[in-house]
């Protein structure tokens, strides 16, 4: 696909994913010639003299392991600059706090990750007095109506959690450009393997690396990638000096290691998710399956155009009672009930029972149906996943 040609000039995605962290740190491996970028735990680095610091001075400000990961995520997203944060929420809050002043104006998708919604309503609006407008971003028109030249930031997520709704990044980016407003895209659900927001015109791509990038459910982290030098400077100041919410060297190592298998894992997640989505779509107790890879998804055409694949996240509406859903979850042996997503293992979550506070907000145009079940489809054997679901469904 063309996005890969433009994305990185020398190598293709999978090659970058495997080699990027090491390419960058080979020069600092010194005489030991490590094939894998080492974990640099040192908090401080020797100066050559009082007027001559070496490349790294103090690990909050810069650290070789973090620098390697930051270059790696930037290259995966086809961006100039990358920053690695202590969590996805640290990445998102730092972006918002850096770009939106108290009393400013922020336009957000109305179907976003629960933590981001709470950040926006409780802290950004509640504490900083920012005018936060939630709009249904499935229709670009709604963004066009809400944005003006005083808007400080447009924030979208696509596909969204948990209803797998999409927005058209390219057409929203056109509106953002017309008004000189930065556009941030939370790309966690698609991963850079399946979607490139910067190439579609966004200014900022954000990840919870906790999910697909690390991919093994053993590290909390976040990343921001941008091509814009000014945005980068503001975020880097906040990350390294003002807020100090950097990712630890050990976690940087884990994420860099996870990224090497991102292409292999994403292909497998998607293959399994398509099989599971089709199976669920055929089941007579399931009224709707939300998966952008299904022809029945109302935005399937947009998905096919702006994404190169559909990832491993899906949800479905069960035609029955909450008691039956409880029994279904109990009956599963391969899918583990739990929150989070994007790891190699399959997880099941019932938002209304397990995350009851995330179903609605003030201006919500949509509520999450009570009998919605969300699956993070892992990379286990697809027959085991399908048999598990079939035997637990009534
Ligand atoms: C998990 C998640 C976040 C938050 O990331 P943390 O690493 O948990 O702080 C943000 N956005 C999306 C879409 C997520 O799935």
């Amino acid at each position: 696909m063309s996005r890969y040609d433009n994305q990185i000039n020398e190598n293709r995605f999978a090659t970058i994913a495997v080699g990027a962290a090491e390419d960058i740190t080979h020069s600092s491996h010194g005489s030991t010639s490590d094939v894998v970028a080492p974990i640099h735990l040192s908090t401080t680095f020797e100066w050559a003299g009082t007027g001559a610091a070496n490349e790294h001075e103090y690990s909050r400000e810069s650290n070789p392991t973090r620098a390697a990961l930051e270059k790696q995520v930037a290259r995966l997203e086809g961006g100039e600059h990358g920053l690695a944060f202590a969590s996805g929420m640290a990445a998102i809050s730092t972006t918002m706090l850096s770009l939106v002043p108290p009393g400013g104006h922020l336009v957000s998708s109305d179907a976003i990750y629960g933590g981001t919604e709470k950040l926006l309503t409780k802290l950004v609006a509640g504490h900083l007095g920012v005018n936060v407008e939630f709009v249904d971003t499935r229709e670009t028109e709604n963004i066009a109506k809400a944005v003006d030249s005083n808007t400080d930031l447009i924030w979208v997520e696509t596909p969204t959690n948990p209803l797998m709704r999409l927005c058209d990044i390219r057409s929203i980016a056109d509106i953002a450009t017309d008004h000189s407003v930065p556009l941030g895209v939370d790309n966690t659900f698609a991963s850079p393997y399946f979607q490139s927001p910067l190439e579609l015109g966004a200014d900022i791509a954000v990840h919870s690396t906790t999910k697909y990038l690390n991919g093994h459910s053993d590290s909390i982290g976040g990343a921001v990638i941008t091509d814009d030098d000014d945005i980068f400077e503001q975020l880097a100041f906040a990350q390294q000096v003002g807020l100090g919410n950097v990712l630890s060297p050990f976690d940087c190592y884990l994420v860099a290691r996870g990224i090497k298998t991102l292409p292999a894992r994403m292909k497998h997640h998607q293959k399994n998710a398509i099989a599971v989505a089709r199976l669920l779509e055929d089941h007579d107790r399931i009224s709707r399956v939300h998966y952008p890879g299904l022809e029945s998804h109302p935005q399937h055409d947009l998905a096919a155009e702006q994404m190169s694949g559909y990832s491993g996240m899906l949800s479905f509406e069960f035609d029955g009672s909450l008691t039956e859903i409880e029994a279904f979850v109990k009956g599963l042996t391969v899918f583990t009930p739990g929150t989070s997503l994007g790891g190699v293992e399959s997880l099941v979550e019932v938002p209304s029972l397990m995350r009851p506070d995330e179903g609605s907000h003030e201006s919500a145009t949509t509520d999450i149906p009570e009998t919605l079940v969300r699956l993070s489809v892992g990379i286990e054997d697809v027959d085991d996943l399908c048999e598990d679901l079939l035997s637990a469904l009534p």
Side-chain angles (χ1 to χ4, degrees), residues 86-92 112-116 155 157 159-161 186-189 206-211 219-222 340-341 374:
S87 67
M89 287 315 301
I92 295 168
I112 48 172
Y113 179 71
T116 309
W155 193 260
E157 210 174 285
T160 65
N161 176 54
D186 185 331
N187 200 26
T188 300
F189 268 45
V206 170
H207 286 279
S208 166
T209 60
T210 312
K211 315 297 167 51
S219 160
I220 296 283
S340 198
L341 61 110
R374 187 186 84 170

Side-chain angles (χ1 to χ4, degrees), residues 96-98 100-104 120-131:
M96 291 177 176
L97 291 177
S98 303
V100 185
L120 283 172
T121 50
K122 295 205 160 107
L123 291 180
V124 177
H127 203 64
L128 297 177
V130 170
N131 174 13

Side-chain angles (χ1 to χ4, degrees), residues 73-391:
V73 293
R75 289 177 74 183
L76 286 184
E77 282 286 7
E80 277 294 309
H81 310 286
L83 291 166
F85 289 88
S87 67
M89 287 315 301
I92 295 168
S93 58
T94 301
T95 305
M96 291 177 176
L97 291 177
S98 303
L99 302 181
V100 185
H105 184 222
L106 189 155
V107 175
S108 168
S109 168
D110 70 353
I112 48 172
Y113 179 71
T116 309
E117 185 219 310
K118 284 189 201 111
L119 163 70
L120 283 172
T121 50
K122 295 205 160 107
L123 291 180
V124 177
H127 203 64
L128 297 177
V130 170
N131 174 13
V132 177
E133 268 185 82
F134 289 105
V135 299
D136 184 342
T137 46
R138 281 174 296 180
E139 299 295 337
T140 303
E141 185 64 6
N142 294 331
I143 299 230
K145 277 189 220 141
V147 171
D148 60 41
S149 52
N150 294 320
T151 306
D152 299 290
L153 180 65
I154 303 172
W155 193 260
V156 300
E157 210 174 285
T158 180
T160 65
N161 176 54
L163 290 169
M164 302 297 141
R165 290 181 173 158
L166 272 61
C167 62
D168 184 338
I169 298 175
R170 199 184 287 280
S171 69
I172 295 171
D174 288 343
I175 294 168
T177 306
D178 286 348
H179 293 89
S180 303
V181 179
L183 167 63
V185 178
D186 185 331
N187 200 26
T188 300
F189 268 45
S191 92
Y193 184 66
F194 285 134
Q195 183 168 267
S196 302
L198 299 187
E199 195 177 296
L200 293 164
D203 302 284
I204 302 155
V206 170
H207 286 279
S208 166
T209 60
T210 312
K211 315 297 167 51
Y212 284 116
L213 287 184
N214 181 58
H216 295 75
S217 308
D218 53 9
S219 160
I220 296 283
V224 175
I225 300 96
T226 182
D227 276 334
D228 186 302
D229 295 343
D230 292 338
I231 290 176
F232 171 69
E233 291 302 329
Q234 290 180 67
L235 296 191
F237 168 79
Q239 178 210 33
Q240 294 153 23
V241 184
L243 302 173
N245 46 13
V246 294
L247 191 62
S248 79
F250 184 71
D251 286 278
C252 289
Y253 159 78
L254 283 177
V255 178
R257 175 172 144 133
I259 285 173
K260 293 178 193 187
T261 57
L262 180 73
R265 284 186 284 110
M266 292 315 291
K267 276 185 211 158
H268 210 111
H269 280 297
Q270 140 141 313
K271 190 168 124 289
N272 286 359
I274 287 177
V276 165
R278 296 225 165 96
L279 170 118
L280 295 172
E281 200 172 36
D282 287 343
H283 198 280
D284 57 8
R285 294 296 303 279
I286 288 166
S287 51
R288 265 181 91 178
V289 180
H290 304 273
Y291 184 64
L294 288 177
E295 292 73 19
S296 60
H297 188 284
Q299 294 171 294
H300 177 68
D301 290 347
L302 174 61
E305 192 186 309
Q306 99 179 347
M307 305 172 76
S308 61
Y310 311 103
S311 185
M313 293 303 299
L314 60 89
S315 59
F316 63 88
E317 288 170 44
F318 181 73
D319 185 12
S321 67
L322 283 178
T323 316
E324 281 177 301
I325 289 192
E326 275 174 320
F328 159 68
V329 172
K330 244 195 160 126
L332 292 166
T333 58
V334 184
F335 283 84
T336 303
T339 192
S340 198
L341 61 110
V344 290
E345 63 287 306
S346 292
L347 297 175
V348 55
E349 184 187 290
V350 184
S352 67
L353 297 174
M354 295 161 70
R355 315 283 294 177
D357 54 334
E358 288 183 5
S360 63
H361 50 71
E362 251 177 59
S363 59
T365 53
T366 53
D367 278 334
I368 296 164
E370 199 178 46
T371 62
L372 188 90
V373 178
R374 187 186 84 170
L375 301 179
S376 174
V377 179
I379 64 167
E380 301 92 339
D381 190 287
V382 69
D383 292 335
D384 287 328
L385 295 178
C386 291
E387 282 166 28
D388 197 33
L389 290 166
L390 279 181
S391 71

